[in-house]
Amino acid sequence: MGFMRAASVKDLKTGEKLGVVLGGKPVLLVNLENEYYAIGGKCTHWGCMLIDGKIEDSRIRCKCHGSTFDLKTGAVIKGPAAKPMPSYHVKVENGEIYVEV
């Protein structure tokens, strides 16, 4: 599908997260010290929305059962989830954040 506009950099301060739907896919967009990352927005364990999770350093912990994922790569840090989250390329142009889905 290519890169799609997800948000403005003004919408996402350092340490914040934003849930968006791009190309019909839920995506979690995060700002970690002014670097932007995007992973799938639904936990691979039970499908809970990660926007409700808690950011801890460069990880997010799912609110439902505590699965923890790396926000930069989507890798599972701690289960019960066994499958990693999809990870998407992000670019910033003219103050706009684009995600490749």
Side-chain angles (χ1 to χ4, degrees):
M1 249 190 168
F3 281 92
M4 300 179 75
R5 184 191 177 281
S8 168
V9 295
K10 295 176 185 176
D11 297 332
L12 202 58
K13 295 181 174 89
T14 297
E16 290 185 341
K17 60 190 182 298
L18 180 67
V20 296
V21 176
L22 300 172
K25 299 176 185 178
V27 174
L28 181 72
L29 186 63
V30 295
N31 178 343
L32 300 176
E33 298 179 15
N34 293 317
E35 292 289 330
Y36 299 92
Y37 300 93
I39 63 172
K42 279 187 170 182
C43 181
T44 57
H45 176 241
W46 258 29
C48 294
M49 299 305 292
L50 290 181
I51 190 66
D52 297 326
K54 181 176 180 182
I55 293 177
E56 301 166 337
D57 298 317
S58 63
R59 301 177 303 262
I60 189 156
R61 183 169 33 95
C62 181
K63 180 180 175 182
C64 292
H65 298 106
S67 292
T68 304
F69 301 92
D70 186 299
L71 286 167
K72 296 179 181 180
T73 67
V76 176
I77 304 297
K78 178 181 175 270
K83 289 177 55 179
M85 297 298 303
S87 177
Y88 303 105
H89 291 100
V90 177
K91 69 179 179 179
V92 177
E93 291 181 349
N94 300 318
E96 302 296 318
I97 304 167
Y98 296 87
V99 177
E100 186 176 32
V101 292

